[in-house]
Amino acid sequence: MAIICTPIILLTISAIVINIRESINETNNVKLNSHNISDKILEINIDNVIEFINMKCPIKVDESLTLINIEKDTPYLKYNYIIDENNMSFEEFRSLLKDLKEESLRSILGDLKTLLVNYQYGIIYNYKGNISGKECFFTLEYEDILKSSFNLSE
């Protein structure tokens, strides 16, 4: 189901950031703790995270959606997805965007959130139908991610 796809990808990316952080830890032989995780996350170059994720792509999220790649579109990370229109029409998918955007903002957790906040990046989610070629997207602005970091309401 498309509504849960983005949180799955975000959790995957967060896990990748953790793996990269652990690699830095092993390389530097430094034990990370709650006091210096933010300092160490800055050592993780956003380009390296993008490169590492793109090596795993394409990532089939569910029967209707595949992550093709992630790219830097400063000041955003841009996630490019293909919608399998044999399983879900483009119009049906587009009708889910508002809910998908809300769920995505709630799903940015842990190291991924720290990375985005430290780099002052937002996220663009771009979706393209594999048959129609139609595209739709939504954006999570850095400011919204920052507010969610501190559980602030508007």
Side-chain angles (χ1 to χ4, degrees):
M1 181 163 188
I3 259 320
I4 63 168
C5 63
T6 300
I8 291 169
I9 293 299
L10 291 173
L11 291 173
T12 301
I13 293 167
S14 188
I16 290 168
V17 170
I18 289 168
N19 287 336
I20 293 171
R21 186 184 69 215
E22 287 173 355
S23 294
I24 290 171
N25 182 31
E26 290 171 11
T27 302
N28 294 333
N29 199 21
V30 175
K31 183 172 173 64
L32 297 180
N33 59 46
S34 61
H35 299 291
N36 65 6
I37 285 178
S38 292
D39 295 337
K40 291 298 176 186
I41 199 80
L42 288 173
E43 293 180 28
I44 301 171
N45 183 295
I46 209 159
D47 293 319
N48 293 338
V49 172
I50 292 168
E51 180 182 350
F52 188 83
I53 294 166
N54 285 338
M55 287 190 308
K56 306 289 184 190
C57 288
I59 300 171
K60 188 144 181 87
V61 177
D62 61 24
E63 67 278 349
S64 301
L65 201 64
T66 302
L67 177 66
I68 300 304
N69 65 18
I70 297 177
E71 58 187 300
K72 188 165 61 170
D73 189 0
T74 306
Y76 298 96
L77 287 182
K78 184 177 180 185
Y79 295 65
N80 293 302
Y81 293 92
I82 293 291
I83 304 164
D84 184 344
E85 293 176 287
N86 293 312
N87 291 314
M88 178 182 282
S89 74
F90 182 83
E91 289 72 23
E92 182 182 357
F93 183 84
R94 186 169 36 198
S95 72
L96 300 172
L97 281 185
K98 181 180 177 189
D99 292 336
L100 190 55
K101 181 176 182 175
E102 291 171 7
E103 182 64 28
S104 297
L105 186 57
R106 283 192 300 271
S107 299
I108 298 174
L109 305 169
D111 289 326
L112 176 61
K113 185 179 283 188
T114 301
L115 186 69
L116 292 170
V117 168
N118 285 338
Y119 279 89
Q120 297 183 2
Y121 266 50
I123 302 176
I124 298 171
Y125 296 91
N126 187 57
Y127 303 93
K128 184 175 183 177
N130 69 331
I131 297 171
S132 69
K134 293 179 182 178
E135 292 188 49
C136 60
F137 71 94
F138 66 86
T139 303
L140 298 178
E141 298 295 338
Y142 160 73
E143 292 80 9
D144 296 329
I145 294 168
L146 182 62
K147 284 181 193 176
S148 75
S149 294
F150 299 105
N151 296 319
L152 299 175
S153 57
E154 295 185 74

